[in-house]
Amino acid sequence: MSLLQKLTFWRHNKVKKLLLKDRQHHANNPAFIICSVVLLIFDLSLFDTVIGWISLVVACGVTIRFAIYFAYQKHIPTLRTLNLLALLSILGLIYSALPLGFLLGMVNLLVLACALKLMQVRTQRDYYQLVVSLLFLLGCGFIFKQSLAFTLLYSLLSLAVILALGFFHVPNLGFKRQIKQVGLLCLQALPISLLLFLLMPQLPPLWQTPKAKSAKTGLADKITPGDIASLSQSSELAFRATFETSAPSQKDRYWRAIALEDFDGKSWQVHPLRKKHRRFQQLTQQEFSPLIKGPYVDYDIITEPTQQHWLFALDIAVARTSKSQAEIWQSDDFQLISHQPLVGQYQYEVRSYMQALAQQPLNDLDRQLNLSLPNYGNPRTQQWVSKLRQKKPQDIDFIAALMGYFKTENFRYTLRPAPMLIDPVDTFLFEQQAGFCSHYASALAYSLRLGGIPARIVAGYQGGELMAKTQQQQYLSVYQYDAHAWVEAWLPATGWQRLDPTTLVAPDRISFGLRQAMLEEGSFLADSPFSLARLTNIALFNNLRLLLADVDYNWSRWVLGFDKQKQQDLFKAIVGTLSPQRLAFLGLGIVTVIALLLTLFFIPHWYVNRVNPVQGIYQQALKLLAGAGHKRLNWQGPQDFNLHIQTQLPSAISEPFNTLTEIYVQLNYQGKNTKSLLSHKKLIKNLRRQLSLLKKKLNKSQFVKPLK
């Protein structure tokens, strides 16, 4: 065997031994258990975003790490196995993530990478890569979950990753001491984080997440009677509205979202011609301007993510601020549309002229769309309307007759309507006579069109819970169970009019809300028995619900709603006019404040390291003895030098130094023996006393040179 082969073989064995030792060291390190738990909790928090089989890979990685930690398994998977798994996973991800879009694909890729890295960690570099990937992954979590609860969860997971980093380097340090150190570091970083949050430029999102939403969690642009009934079983928040003055009364809170003008005999949806016309207007920048005059109300809305473009507002609404005007587009069906899909909580400011609906004209497109009828279906309704129209040739009388039919017949408002699969309008009007708001709105709008009156369905929300009762400011919480549908009809004499047959069948639904209307039936949130919204009659749970809602509202308004406009308002409050010179001085002041904070953070550590009281006292003793002709050599430790002093100097000097050395060794090398801070301070006090005694003995001694 040649010398080169021997060296190669020796190096291979040495590396193998080091890796084996490193693996054994890692196996018992709690840092890997902490990282495993963090990755698992994050994966569960995004169960609707992470692909199912990737979650299985995460579970496998976590299981392997737990098995190694508890000695059920001795070795991590080989590199060949992991490389094969990584290759198969990448191929599966390419196939699975293409329909999800770029952002969701990248998040799934990052989760998969963290899971594979967790199985593969062998060196310190691998662990650092895992920690950085986990922190970046937690940052991505804020894209999808921005509520206060998830913010606290991801913050705690971030602290756990930092804690794991501490355990990786010092695995034998106690858990309490690790927690204390991590907590102290985070508290020191908190002021700088707040400054950066307030003063760093607020950039718009650089991504979009096209993701379908079901009717269980939000309105859709196609409604079949019965869809909103299922939506009403959800207690999730839809949006909040903050009014500058008193909020409108319950019966006037009709929150417009979508106008549905295309009816095929069963379902209502946004008409394709309306979509085409809207795209043309947006391309040619022909934004609709409604006729507005009369009294108005100003308010802000914070809407939850819907992945859609439509916004919510009271009729007739216009954007109130320059920011909202730049981000919101107004359609000629009085709908407010965001330029970007609502992938997170979104705040906008509007002004509503609540008496201006009747002032709006009917253009040719409106007339064409709102008089269109399906080619077939519901023959009984057609015959009934034809006879009724002959009896009531006047539009007002005809509408009154239609509304009167709902009032005089035995109609019933229910969240549990029977299926109406064939000719649903006929079945509802003449057989079942029991349904939800969308059943009534669909039957009325179709009947109006059969009678030659332009009509459409408007889907949105009605009502809202008044959360704050102050005259200066009021805000409402509108939930998914407040979803509602009503009809808009146009008459030459009165213009557009809101018609809501629900007010005739279930007036409590409009005046007091869905909860009150469903008391007798007992179907309110029947599918969510543990929802706090069902427990309002219990004072404790109701107060807890209101407290949580108020905390979440303030979080959304002041933290998530801190946008570029509010940041500029903050700058104006600090420096006045935003001139380049003042902004430059503001930036310089920010840098100075951060530098001072960093100085305050690091000076105490520098001072403790440089001027450790125990080390300082011992160094003074050594300096005294060096001045007396007895300098400690570089190779001598404390005990060796103490032995030298015991043999070279009289007991009057050697005894105080012997006591001083023993205390120094105990404090500096055996700190665990001083179990309390009080005993630690007593030892330091005794150390100073021995130093003072040593100095006096040295000055009086005739065996050494007098000290200067």
Side-chain angles (χ1 to χ4, degrees):
M1 183 180 291
S2 65
L3 179 61
L4 180 61
Q5 290 176 330
K6 290 181 179 179
L7 289 174
T8 304
F9 181 74
W10 173 82
R11 182 178 179 275
H12 175 74
N13 286 339
K14 185 176 180 181
V15 171
K16 187 176 181 180
K17 291 179 181 179
L18 288 174
L19 287 176
L20 179 61
K21 183 179 178 181
D22 196 40
R23 291 176 193 173
Q24 293 173 347
H25 173 70
H26 286 169
N28 299 321
N29 198 321
F32 291 93
I33 296 298
I34 296 175
C35 289
S36 301
V37 172
V38 168
L39 180 59
L40 181 62
I41 294 176
F42 178 84
D43 178 71
L44 293 175
S45 71
L46 293 182
F47 69 94
D48 57 343
T49 301
V50 179
I51 302 173
W53 66 265
I54 293 182
S55 296
L56 290 178
V57 176
V58 171
C60 290
V62 172
T63 303
I64 289 173
R65 275 300 164 187
F66 270 85
I68 293 175
Y69 183 80
F70 291 106
Y72 293 116
Q73 181 178 339
K74 295 183 178 180
H75 305 288
I76 59 178
T78 62
L79 287 176
R80 180 179 297 177
T81 302
L82 289 175
N83 289 336
L84 179 61
L85 179 60
L87 179 60
L88 294 176
S89 299
I90 291 298
L91 294 176
L93 183 63
I94 293 174
Y95 176 78
S96 304
L98 282 178
L100 300 179
F102 177 77
L103 177 62
L104 296 182
M106 290 298 102
V107 171
N108 279 276
L109 175 62
L110 192 55
V111 174
L112 178 62
C114 288
L116 295 175
K117 179 59 71 174
L118 186 63
M119 302 182 202
Q120 184 257 340
V121 171
R122 287 175 168 81
T123 64
Q124 188 179 68
R125 179 183 178 183
D126 292 335
Y127 186 76
Y128 286 161
Q129 292 174 347
L130 175 63
V131 167
V132 172
S133 299
L134 282 175
L135 291 175
F136 190 81
L137 192 61
L138 291 172
C140 293
F142 288 102
I143 300 174
F144 305 95
K145 309 288 186 180
Q146 298 177 352
S147 66
L148 180 58
F150 278 99
T151 300
L152 292 176
L153 174 64
Y154 291 149
S155 299
L156 290 176
L157 292 180
S158 301
L159 294 179
V161 173
I162 300 174
L163 181 66
L165 192 60
F167 271 114
F168 180 78
H169 289 286
V170 192
N172 297 323
L173 192 63
F175 189 78
K176 290 184 178 179
R177 293 187 64 183
Q178 292 278 18
I179 287 287
K180 182 179 179 181
Q181 289 184 1
V182 170
L184 182 61
L185 288 172
C186 293
L187 286 177
Q188 291 173 343
L190 185 60
I192 296 178
S193 301
L194 291 176
L195 276 175
L196 293 176
F197 171 75
L198 293 173
L199 303 174
M200 285 291 290
Q202 300 289 324
L203 300 176
L206 304 177
W207 51 78
Q208 295 184 13
T209 55
K211 186 179 179 183
K213 301 289 285 185
S214 68
K216 186 74 176 178
T217 57
L219 293 172
D221 57 2
K222 182 177 182 179
I223 292 179
T224 300
D227 289 348
I228 295 184
S230 62
L231 181 61
S232 67
Q233 295 294 343
S234 171
S235 60
E236 293 183 8
L237 181 69
F239 61 92
R240 288 193 174 98
T242 304
F243 291 86
E244 300 295 333
T245 55
S246 298
S249 61
Q250 172 83 13
K251 63 182 181 61
D252 294 326
R253 299 173 197 159
Y254 281 85
W255 304 94
R256 186 189 202 90
I258 325 164
L260 307 174
E261 300 169 306
D262 184 26
F263 182 54
D264 60 4
K266 294 182 179 180
S267 303
W268 291 82
Q269 63 183 346
V270 179
H271 204 288
L273 285 180
R274 178 71 70 182
K275 293 181 179 179
K276 184 177 180 180
H277 179 67
R278 188 179 294 164
R279 287 194 295 267
F280 174 77
Q281 286 182 315
Q282 290 174 333
L283 289 174
T284 57
Q285 298 183 352
Q286 299 179 25
E287 185 172 0
F288 175 73
S289 297
L291 301 176
I292 48 176
K293 63 180 180 179
Y296 58 83
V297 58
D298 291 341
Y299 54 98
D300 301 347
I301 287 184
I302 303 174
T303 180
E304 295 297 300
T306 62
Q307 317 302 329
Q308 305 292 348
H309 289 267
W310 58 70
L311 302 174
F312 313 104
L314 302 170
D315 289 327
I316 295 287
V318 293
R320 191 174 87 244
T321 62
S322 56
K323 171 183 174 295
S324 296
Q325 290 171 358
E327 298 175 354
I328 296 175
W329 190 84
Q330 184 139 26
S331 175
D332 51 5
D333 56 355
F334 319 137
Q335 182 177 332
L336 297 182
I337 300 173
S338 172
H339 291 304
Q340 298 293 334
L342 306 183
V343 297
Q345 284 190 334
Y346 176 62
Q347 182 172 352
Y348 55 99
E349 300 80 22
V350 288
R351 171 175 293 174
S352 289
Y353 295 81
M354 301 183 66
Q355 300 178 8
L357 182 62
Q359 305 169 13
Q360 311 308 313
L362 180 75
N363 58 41
D364 293 337
L365 180 63
D366 291 336
R367 183 179 298 276
Q368 176 186 351
L369 299 185
N370 292 284
L371 285 175
S372 61
L373 292 168
N375 296 325
Y376 56 88
N378 304 295
R380 295 175 62 186
T381 304
Q382 296 180 26
Q383 296 174 6
W384 175 67
V385 170
S386 177
K387 294 178 180 179
L388 185 63
R389 190 55 163 160
Q390 292 176 2
K391 295 179 182 179
K392 306 290 183 180
Q394 298 296 323
D395 291 344
I396 297 179
D397 296 336
F398 175 66
I399 293 176
L402 289 176
M403 299 292 281
Y405 181 78
F406 292 113
K407 187 174 182 179
T408 56
E409 295 295 318
N410 192 27
F411 281 92
R412 184 169 56 90
Y413 190 78
T414 178
L415 297 181
R416 300 168 178 170
M420 306 176 195
L421 303 178
I422 301 175
D423 295 331
V425 179
D426 285 354
T427 305
F428 171 68
L429 285 177
F430 307 111
E431 297 178 15
Q432 300 289 345
Q433 295 188 332
F436 196 57
C437 59
S438 52
H439 293 87
Y440 292 95
S442 176
L444 178 60
Y446 179 57
S447 300
L448 288 170
R449 288 189 180 185
L450 289 173
I453 297 176
R456 61 191 174 198
I457 285 182
V458 179
Y461 297 86
Q462 200 285 326
E465 184 178 12
L466 187 61
M467 308 297 291
K469 298 182 180 180
T470 61
Q471 293 184 353
Q472 290 77 14
Q473 190 178 75
Q474 294 185 337
Y475 79 92
L476 297 168
S477 293
V478 181
Y479 300 95
Q480 295 296 350
Y481 58 72
D482 291 314
H484 193 56
W486 60 94
V487 176
E488 283 183 351
W490 191 87
L491 299 176
T494 58
W496 285 106
Q497 298 293 318
R498 181 189 302 126
L499 301 175
D500 190 356
T502 303
T503 59
L504 304 175
V505 181
D508 287 349
R509 165 63 184 91
I510 306 303
S511 300
F512 302 104
L514 185 66
R515 185 197 316 273
Q516 185 70 24
M518 294 293 103
L519 281 179
E520 182 177 350
E521 186 178 71
S523 58
F524 178 71
L525 295 181
D527 297 341
S528 305
F530 300 106
S531 173
L532 286 177
R534 286 177 54 89
L535 304 175
T536 54
N537 55 331
I538 303 176
L540 176 62
F541 290 105
N542 191 50
N543 292 334
L544 175 62
R545 181 182 68 88
L546 294 176
L547 175 63
L548 293 177
D550 199 50
V551 170
D552 186 66
Y553 164 75
N554 286 289
W555 170 260
S556 301
R557 182 172 175 81
W558 300 112
V559 179
L560 299 181
F562 187 77
D563 53 13
K564 183 178 179 181
Q565 183 62 45
K566 290 187 177 180
Q567 187 181 58
Q568 290 180 356
D569 295 339
L570 176 63
F571 290 167
K572 290 179 181 179
I574 297 174
V575 300
T577 306
L578 296 181
S579 62
Q581 295 80 4
R582 293 189 178 186
L583 288 176
F585 282 118
L586 177 62
L588 181 61
I590 294 169
V591 173
T592 303
V593 170
I594 293 177
L596 289 175
L597 288 174
L598 291 174
T599 303
L600 291 175
F601 293 159
F602 289 110
I603 278 184
H605 298 285
W606 175 84
Y607 183 77
V608 168
N609 293 333
R610 298 295 190 275
V611 195
N612 187 304
V614 177
Q615 190 73 26
I617 293 171
Y618 184 71
Q619 292 296 333
Q620 290 182 40
L622 293 181
K623 187 176 181 180
L624 290 173
L625 291 173
H630 295 272
K631 184 177 180 181
R632 194 182 82 167
L633 301 178
N634 293 333
W635 58 267
Q636 288 180 313
Q639 298 287 10
D640 293 332
F641 185 65
N642 180 41
L643 183 62
H644 168 77
I645 295 299
Q646 300 300 314
T647 59
Q648 297 295 324
L649 294 177
S651 59
I653 298 174
S654 62
E655 288 181 0
F657 185 73
N658 180 57
T659 305
L660 185 147
T661 301
E662 290 178 353
I663 297 173
Y664 168 72
V665 170
Q666 182 180 2
L667 289 171
N668 206 45
Y669 299 103
Q670 302 173 2
K672 59 183 179 180
N673 294 332
T674 59
K675 294 185 178 180
S676 68
L677 183 61
L678 183 61
S679 63
H680 189 85
K681 290 182 177 179
K682 286 182 178 179
L683 289 173
I684 293 179
K685 186 177 180 180
N686 192 11
L687 193 66
R688 288 196 176 96
R689 187 184 305 114
Q690 297 301 325
L691 176 64
S692 177
L693 181 62
L694 177 65
K695 187 174 182 179
K696 291 179 181 179
K697 296 297 184 181
L698 284 171
N699 284 327
K700 293 180 180 179
S701 176
Q702 58 181 344
F703 298 98
V704 296
K705 297 184 291 183
L707 298 175
K708 297 182 180 180

